[in-house]
Amino acid sequence: MKRGFCYLLLACCLTMCWNVVAAQKKAGPYVLVIHGGAGTILKKNMSPEMEEAYKASLKRALEKGYGVLKNGGSSLDAVEATVRVLEDDSLFNAGKGAVFTHEGRNEMDAAIMNGKTRAAGAVAGVTVIKNPISAARAVMEKSEHVMMIGPGAEKFAKEAGLEIVDPSYFRTESRWKSLQKALKEDSLASARSNAYTNPGKLGIINKDNKFGTVGAVALDKQGNLAAATSTGGMTNKKYGRVGDSPVIGAGTYANNNTVAVSCTGWGEYYIRNVVAYDLSALMEYKGLSVQDAGKTVIKKVGDMGGDGGLIALDKNGNMAMPFNTEGMYRGTVTKDGKMEVLIYK
Amino acid sequence: MKRGFCYLLLACCLTMCWNVVAAQKKAGPYVLVIHGGAGTILKKNMSPEMEEAYKASLKRALEKGYGVLKNGGSSLDAVEATVRVLEDDSLFNAGKGAVFTHEGRNEMDAAIMNGKTRAAGAVAGVTVIKNPISAARAVMEKSEHVMMIGPGAEKFAKEAGLEIVDPSYFRTESRWKSLQKALKEDSLASARSNAYTNPGKLGIINKDNKFGTVGAVALDKQGNLAAATSTGGMTNKKYGRVGDSPVIGAGTYANNNTVAVSCTGWGEYYIRNVVAYDLSALMEYKGLSVQDAGKTVIKKVGDMGGDGGLIALDKNGNMAMPFNTEGMYRGTVTKDGKMEVLIYK
């Protein structure tokens, strides 16, 4: 009897050890890539203090998301947590610090996608949800829908228990000044042409009005990919304009079989080129690497006259961060745990 | 001098004849394909009068668009004109006759895309624009943007000179009754579960609440493709829900190098599968025919649990109209000018 018990104990121990080894073997590499927007970001225009501030913010976001992954959390939790840090940081054009519309409001868009299930959620034109990325996740997980817009999306976020703030929360002095500058350039341009009164083409006078979106893509220990993007859109935007960020397939896409993608740039060109899904399709249908697929889609955007960048992470942890602008705020934590933040070309 | 004049006249005549022949040679086949929504459309549930009414409406729309193509008009003009006929017809869930939201409003979405330039325009959540498809076209042609939502989109449409109507214009008794039925089923479901108060998943109780979108794809004599889609969304929709119709790449896509596509069905699955662009990518990257690519993408939607259909037309005038529902209102005018309208499998 005693001997039988010993054998049983031994068997149990062996099984446990085996399971632990198996679990360690199963846990794959975990990787996080983020961006804080692309644009005309030149070293000569940046003070050392400002550069340090951006780098510190990017690191803070990376540490948050990487902590989630390290502790065995999901890529979905990691990208949401990372983007929330960037939304709460007034340096970036998402959440607090979002740019102003023509009417002096902050209207934000966000999207999230789960590579495992290809479930997705997005909100557009929201003005009182503190963290739009969490609203996008609530749409994905707590509704049958993928996309909600305007006051309806805000009502849903309230009912889902998300933090609601006064619109003044998002206001920063520097973004307000950017709007005043854009409005001034706008009225000068209107004086030169009667395009607006006709109405003709809406002018994008300051090309850099349209940048500053934030995003994250992650691969977790379980091999699941996720992508998240959040933005305030473009300074001085009118008429309820929505860019690519909340458009699944354009600014945001994730699929465990291929890649997770988050884009930043001149949104109209990203929508017309269905950039995020095109990158995935080039990998799936043409066998391109994530780097070659990334280069190809950014070239397509450029050939059409658009600019911007993107971050992409494939199922094996390979990453790409192509852009055709002067710079892109970006950061990575690679498979070996090495953290890096970059700004310029 | 007289003889010289005769030679000149002869040369002119020959040049003219040559030009006419060249133009005739250059003018390619022109084709139009339309849909009026997919769903549980069964012959046993349809009165002969109702069936006749649907067929007559589809024919009217086809004649309108085909007339444009025949007279040398652009595919863009043809799809817009065709969709306007379907929007003005109260039988279809777009424009007049759009379904009601949970709050008893008609909130419409539409998108259009030019295959030649890959320019695109879309509006979502609009309530006072008589023809949302024309608003989508105005966004494409009269702004720098691709997507506008809500009151901003309406302001733009007004400034662009489009016809604005009182929201009551869109109301039809049968759609109102559908909402009352859905609301009753909703409250019965709420009594059974507390899903709504938590809030949990939004229930799609009546699966057929989500169908009835209209769309058109066309190839003109110049070889240019275009696609247009317009919808009232789903009966009893809440929280500013937006489906696939106004999402470029999901419900609407056109590219002269490949195909023009307009989708109808359970929008969430079409967004998550980026259906319209996936069809194009399968043709471009994998060399699939429009029929095989169409079948493939509808199978993907079905495998995920979604249903619906689509119309697709390639650059050579080959078409596909796959669907995995009981029926889809659809019609074609083929290269030889033959008109056909179909409803069931």
Side-chain angles (χ1 to χ4, degrees), chain A residues 120-151:
Chain A
V123 292
V126 296
T127 60
V128 296
I129 303 166
K130 190 183 174 214
N131 290 105
I133 196 64
S134 297
R137 184 161 180 184
V139 171
M140 174 172 77
E141 294 181 345
K142 297 185 174 176
S143 90
E144 295 280 355
H145 300 314
V146 169
M147 192 175 197
M148 295 186 186
I149 62 174

Side-chain angles (χ1 to χ4, degrees), chain B residues 176-252:
Chain B
W176 184 253
K177 279 182 187 157
S178 298
L179 173 64
Q180 303 315 313
K181 190 167 167 276
L183 287 172
K184 205 175 154 188
E185 286 164 354
D186 222 18
S187 66
L188 284 173
S190 290
R192 282 196 299 272
S193 86
N194 65 351
Y196 269 103
T197 49
N198 263 344
K201 287 267 185 187
L202 288 170
I204 295 182
I205 294 155
N206 178 353
K207 271 186 64 180
D208 267 357
N209 278 356
K210 64 197 182 303
F211 294 111
T213 300
V214 307
V217 290
L219 174 70
D220 63 29
K221 289 181 182 176
Q222 289 73 43
N224 294 318
L225 289 168
T229 313
S230 181
T231 190
M234 48 183 279
T235 299
N236 196 24
K237 70 182 174 187
K238 299 180 189 76
Y239 306 122
R241 178 260 188 187
V242 171
D244 62 314
S245 305
V247 177
I248 299 302
T252 308

Side-chain angles (χ1 to χ4, degrees), chain B:
Chain B
M1 181 66 185
K2 213 174 170 186
R3 183 179 258 180
F5 181 74
C6 283
Y7 281 135
L8 189 67
L9 201 67
L10 186 69
C12 283
C13 283
L14 282 171
T15 309
M16 275 173 69
C17 287
W18 175 254
N19 284 342
V20 168
V21 170
Q24 279 178 335
K25 248 187 142 176
K26 220 177 128 192
Y30 47 104
V31 181
L32 178 67
V33 187
I34 67 170
H35 71 78
T40 312
I41 309 164
L42 291 164
K43 199 168 174 70
K44 62 174 184 181
N45 298 334
M46 182 89 81
S47 71
E49 295 76 26
M50 203 47 149
E51 190 174 308
E52 238 1 271
Y54 271 108
K55 284 186 172 175
S57 287
L58 291 167
K59 270 184 194 157
R60 207 160 43 238
L62 281 171
E63 278 159 7
K64 182 76 181 183
Y66 195 67
V68 173
L69 295 173
K70 202 174 176 179
N71 292 328
S74 72
S75 52
L76 209 56
D77 284 341
V79 295
E80 184 192 3
T82 306
V83 167
R84 281 177 67 102
V85 171
L86 296 167
E87 283 179 340
D88 292 345
D89 192 318
S90 63
L91 281 179
F92 302 98
N93 175 21
K96 186 168 182 64
V99 299
F100 285 91
T101 66
H102 185 70
E103 290 80 16
R105 290 151 53 91
N106 302 110
E107 290 183 0
M108 290 154 283
D109 313 324
I112 195 164
M113 191 156 179
N114 180 343
K116 186 181 177 187
T117 59
R118 277 180 293 144
V123 292
V126 296
T127 61
V128 297
I129 303 165
K130 191 183 175 213
N131 291 105
I133 197 64
S134 296
R137 183 161 182 185
V139 170
M140 176 172 76
E141 294 180 344
K142 296 184 176 176
S143 88
E144 295 279 356
H145 300 313
V146 170
M147 190 174 200
M148 295 184 186
I149 62 173
E154 292 170 349
K155 183 168 182 279
F156 175 80
K158 269 178 221 174
E159 292 181 15
L162 297 186
E163 191 173 352
I164 302 299
V165 293
D166 187 85
S168 64
Y169 162 80
F170 300 103
R171 183 195 165 102
T172 58
E173 201 50 34
S174 69
R175 299 297 191 192
W176 184 253
K177 279 182 187 157
S178 298
L179 173 64
Q180 303 315 313
K181 190 167 167 276
L183 287 172
K184 205 175 154 188
E185 286 164 354
D186 222 18
S187 66
L188 284 173
S190 290
R192 282 196 299 272
S193 86
N194 65 351
Y196 269 103
T197 49
N198 263 344
K201 287 267 185 187
L202 288 170
I204 295 182
I205 294 155
N206 178 353
K207 271 186 64 180
D208 267 357
N209 278 356
K210 64 197 182 303
F211 294 111
T213 300
V214 307
V217 290
L219 174 70
D220 63 29
K221 289 181 182 176
Q222 289 73 43
N224 294 318
L225 289 168
T229 313
S230 181
T231 190
M234 48 183 279
T235 299
N236 196 24
K237 70 182 174 187
K238 299 180 189 76
Y239 306 122
R241 178 260 188 187
V242 171
D244 62 314
S245 305
V247 177
I248 299 302
T252 308
Y253 185 74
N255 183 340
N256 268 10
N257 296 325
T258 52
V259 67
V261 186
S262 171
C263 302
T264 172
W266 196 336
E268 278 73 12
Y269 291 92
Y270 281 72
I271 297 177
R272 291 169 58 195
N273 284 290
V274 200
V275 169
Y277 182 71
D278 194 31
L279 201 163
S280 172
L282 284 165
M283 293 178 67
E284 186 174 356
Y285 301 148
K286 297 260 283 179
L288 263 59
S289 69
V290 66
Q291 288 87 1
D292 288 344
K295 269 184 219 156
T296 305
V297 296
I298 290 296
K299 190 180 177 305
K300 283 189 189 183
V301 167
D303 289 347
M304 210 186 240
D307 54 358
L310 62 83
I311 53 172
L313 179 62
D314 77 11
K315 58 181 177 178
N316 300 314
N318 303 306
M319 60 180 73
M321 299 185 286
F323 56 96
N324 66 358
T325 49
E326 295 297 331
M328 178 166 82
Y329 299 109
R330 59 204 188 276
T332 58
V333 192
T334 49
K335 290 176 196 177
D336 53 10
K338 202 185 139 210
M339 187 177 295
E340 191 175 33
V341 295
L342 295 157
I343 300 180
Y344 314 107
K345 256 181 194 164

Side-chain angles (χ1 to χ4, degrees), chain A residues 109-113 120-124 136 146-149 229-231 241-254 261-263 267-268 270-277, chain B residues 122 124 146-149 242-252 270-272 274:
Chain A
D109 313 324
I112 196 164
M113 190 158 181
V123 292
V146 169
M147 192 175 197
M148 295 186 186
I149 62 174
T229 313
S230 181
T231 191
R241 178 261 187 186
V242 171
D244 63 314
S245 305
V247 176
I248 299 300
T252 308
Y253 185 74
V261 186
S262 172
C263 301
E268 279 72 12
Y270 280 73
I271 297 177
R272 291 167 60 194
N273 282 290
V274 202
V275 169
Y277 183 71
Chain B
V146 170
M147 190 174 200
M148 295 184 186
I149 62 173
V242 171
D244 62 314
S245 305
V247 177
I248 299 302
T252 308
Y270 281 72
I271 297 177
R272 291 169 58 195
V274 200

